[in-house]
Amino acid sequence: MIEEDTIICRCEDLTYKDVLDAIEMGMTTVTEIKKTIRAGMGPCQGRTCGRLIAQIVSQKTGKPMGEVWNTSHRPPLKTVPLKILAGGESEQ
Amino acid sequence: MSNNEFDVIIIGGGIIGTATGYYLLKLNQRVLLLEKDYIGAGSTGRCIGGIRAQFSTDATIKVAMESVRLFERMEQEFGFSVDWYPSGYLFLSFTEQQNKTFLNVMKIQHSFGLEIRFLEPNDIKKQFPYLNIDGVSGGAFCPTDGQADPFLVLKGYIWGMKKMGSTFLKGAEVIAIEQGRNGTFKVISHNNEQFFAPKVLNAAGPDAYNVGKMIGLELPVEPERHESLITEGLEYMKMPMIVDYRPDGCYFVQRLTGQIIGCYTPEQRVPGKNIDSTFEFLTEMPRRMIRLIPFLENLAVLRQWAGSYTMTPDGSPIVDETSVPGYYVSIAMCGHGFMLGPALGKYMAEFMVNQKWLFDMGEFAFNRNFQATAEAMK
């Protein structure tokens, strides 16, 4: 069962209640929730929590998943150390 | 008043629009804020959160110092932390000429009581041992400069506006503005909703030019692209914002939450609203960061993105009533909207209500000569 204190975004330590509060304040897409409470901005970049948050928003707003899950996908697709990007060393 | 009539209509939901709206509401104005996308979708939500008072001209320094005071008090004002922290700004010079500029500007800065010190390379090494000072000829350090989280600050203003009863519409793009004979503006949104007010504030960031055009103004403003990246977090080490002034320099800071976030100014300007991110930046920025702080090489990059600096020819914002009475602008922040926004919002709200500035704001004037001297600490 999902409780108010269930962790939804573990990188930023956000609970189900935090997400509900943001929706209550009028945030109706995953991007807006991300930019209000930092959900999905940690090391996983929303790969773990994005779908969960989209489900919650979809459920609460009655809008389809495809409409609320509007976050942009940006490079790098996986985290890469600076030294590799700078060209000094190759990844083992 | 009917429910589509207001005292002020603000176009733009970034730091400028929300801060100005917040302070207008405190002055008992009826405010409507129209945002074409969502709050923070423009420049504010893409900025890296640096806040400094190290500027070179009187009004900008005064505004920036007031902003720092407002950031310091935000936790109390909003009832939650905005991750404000006075981690300082360290400008690094690599030439004697640049040292002279720092020292000259410092005279003005000191006259306002700003605590800025010139540091010799050895002082820099002592105070910031992780820095590689090869080629460094000096630095200007202001310990009262700092950082805050742009999203949390926006949240404070927008939730404050709602609590004070403001109307705020997101996804509401303005498509036309008309001024009636009695001076009242009719603002029309994309779905043909009409709103009326005697005063309009253009706070449209990268879209400021278009929103000016709607009332017949040719505003001398243009956005250009700036790219950013953020790394994974590491233990907070009170790193200041480090600004490397070389042509291939960069600037970055460790956020209070541990990540390193930074940008560089491209050698060739990239004008226009294109905010795609490039592979060139993703590979070049790490090189420049590692050159300054070698141990960063093992940190991983989480994400890169880009945003707009809306520029004027002289590098200072335009914050004023325009030649169209009742039509105000607070635009073209030249990359400093987040840091100047709180104080500019407060001063602009007072100006819109009282019709006078607290002090000489000539360097932000609508009618100034844009070809005169440029800001020295860009």
Side-chain angles (χ1 to χ4, degrees):
Chain A
M1 263 307 283
I2 191 163
E3 309 277 352
E4 282 205 337
D5 61 356
T6 304
I7 297 287
I8 299 293
C9 166
R10 60 190 185 193
C11 301
E12 294 287 333
D13 200 20
L14 297 166
T15 64
Y16 182 54
K17 173 93 167 40
D18 293 324
V19 177
L20 291 184
D21 286 349
I23 296 170
E24 180 86 359
M25 287 306 301
M27 305 304 146
T28 51
T29 61
V30 178
T31 296
E32 285 173 89
I33 288 181
K34 172 185 132 189
K35 295 200 172 191
T36 318
I37 58 174
R38 303 193 50 80
M41 292 186 90
C44 95
Q45 288 290 296
R47 285 175 193 89
T48 310
C49 57
R51 173 171 290 277
L52 264 175
I53 296 166
Q55 278 170 355
I56 299 167
V57 179
S58 168
Q59 205 178 60
K60 295 293 166 191
T61 61
K63 292 202 262 177
M65 283 278 280
E67 202 177 303
V68 300
W69 199 5
N70 61 343
T71 41
S72 24
H73 297 274
R74 295 184 195 282
L77 287 178
K78 62 174 264 207
T79 63
V80 185
L82 269 79
K83 64 180 169 194
I84 291 170
L85 290 166
E89 202 176 294
S90 60
E91 198 169 10
Q92 273 126 35
Chain B
M1 272 188 182
S2 69
N3 60 5
N4 62 352
E5 289 175 22
F6 300 87
D7 295 318
V8 181
I9 296 173
I10 298 173
I11 303 167
I15 185 74
I16 301 296
T18 60
T20 313
Y22 181 85
Y23 286 106
L24 280 166
L25 283 149
K26 288 203 157 192
L27 297 171
N28 298 313
Q29 301 292 295
R30 263 177 63 113
V31 176
L32 167 69
L33 192 150
L34 298 170
E35 161 56 48
K36 76 165 180 176
D37 202 337
Y38 56 88
I39 294 299
S43 301
T44 311
R46 301 172 181 281
C47 84
I48 67 168
I51 296 155
R52 64 169 157 113
Q54 286 194 70
F55 285 94
S56 64
T57 48
D58 294 13
T60 309
I61 293 173
K62 280 188 192 172
V63 168
M65 287 178 76
E66 176 63 13
S67 256
V68 169
R69 282 190 285 271
L70 293 171
F71 278 111
E72 281 169 356
R73 290 200 296 260
M74 272 181 197
E75 180 162 8
Q76 216 180 338
E77 177 95 15
F78 296 152
F80 56 85
S81 164
V82 296
D83 281 357
W84 154 259
Y85 189 77
S87 38
Y89 257 68
L90 174 65
F91 283 84
L92 291 176
S93 156
F94 290 82
T95 61
E96 284 305 316
Q97 188 55 39
Q98 189 68 58
N99 280 0
K100 274 189 201 140
T101 306
F102 285 173
L103 288 163
N104 282 335
V105 169
M106 236 173 259
K107 286 179 207 148
I108 308 168
Q109 293 163 335
H110 286 159
S111 73
F112 289 97
L114 256 185
E115 189 193 331
I116 300 180
R117 292 193 297 273
F118 182 80
L119 302 179
E120 298 292 344
N122 282 340
D123 305 329
I124 296 173
K125 193 74 204 173
K126 226 177 279 170
Q127 206 169 332
F128 310 101
Y130 45 80
L131 266 182
N132 166 21
I133 57 160
D134 284 356
V136 171
S137 55
F141 181 62
C142 179
T144 51
D145 290 342
Q147 56 167 305
D149 185 313
F151 302 113
L152 294 173
V153 172
L154 281 178
K155 176 175 134 182
Y157 282 131
I158 204 76
W159 291 13
M161 285 180 74
K162 284 186 172 181
K163 271 187 221 154
M164 288 188 277
S166 172
T167 312
F168 131 72
L169 296 175
K170 59 179 181 179
E173 181 168 13
V174 172
I175 54 163
I177 306 171
E178 294 163 14
Q179 193 172 25
R181 283 225 184 116
N182 61 356
T184 300
F185 293 94
K186 175 161 84 175
V187 176
I188 305 164
S189 73
H190 67 295
N191 50 4
N192 274 318
E193 272 192 274
Q194 301 185 349
F195 307 97
F196 300 88
K199 290 173 191 166
V200 165
L201 173 67
N202 175 349
D207 285 311
Y209 176 82
N210 301 332
V211 175
K213 203 79 173 125
M214 291 177 192
I215 201 74
L217 293 172
E218 286 285 337
L219 299 166
V221 302
E222 186 182 39
E224 59 182 55
R225 181 179 69 189
H226 280 245
E227 295 188 65
S228 316
L229 63 75
I230 189 163
T231 70
E232 63 185 331
L234 72 164
E235 193 180 343
Y236 189 60
M237 49 190 279
K238 301 192 177 177
M239 181 190 288
M241 178 77 80
I242 296 161
V243 184
D244 173 345
Y245 254 148
R246 283 173 286 194
D248 66 341
C250 61
Y251 46 101
F252 58 88
V253 66
Q254 185 181 22
R255 288 176 40 89
L256 205 54
T257 41
Q259 310 93 331
I260 312 273
I261 187 168
C263 318
Y264 65 71
T265 303
E267 280 163 74
Q268 291 287 322
R269 293 177 58 236
V270 188
K273 283 200 248 175
N274 171 6
I275 47 169
D276 291 342
S277 43
T278 66
F279 186 69
E280 183 193 348
F281 176 82
L282 181 61
T283 46
E284 182 59 22
M285 181 68 185
R287 185 186 74 79
R288 299 183 186 190
M289 291 167 74
I290 295 169
R291 184 174 57 171
L292 278 177
I293 305 187
F295 84 81
L296 295 181
E297 67 173 16
N298 293 316
L299 275 184
V301 174
L302 290 189
R303 189 176 180 89
Q304 70 168 135
W305 69 97
S308 296
Y309 275 24
T310 307
M311 304 299 293
T312 56
D314 66 1
S316 285
I318 311 176
V319 185
D320 204 352
E321 187 170 8
T322 63
S323 53
V324 178
Y327 186 95
Y328 296 74
V329 291
S330 189
I331 56 171
M333 294 294 144
C334 303
H336 306 131
F338 178 64
M339 60 179 90
L340 300 178
L344 283 181
K346 185 179 153 196
Y347 293 145
M348 184 44 126
E350 287 166 5
F351 179 63
M352 291 180 88
V353 173
N354 304 324
Q355 296 299 306
K356 59 172 192 276
W357 293 112
L358 275 180
F359 52 85
D360 181 5
M361 291 278 278
E363 62 196 71
F364 301 122
F366 170 75
N367 275 329
R368 69 182 187 262
N369 172 11
F370 285 94
Q371 306 311 322
T373 46
E375 168 65 51
M377 302 282 282
K378 275 189 182 163

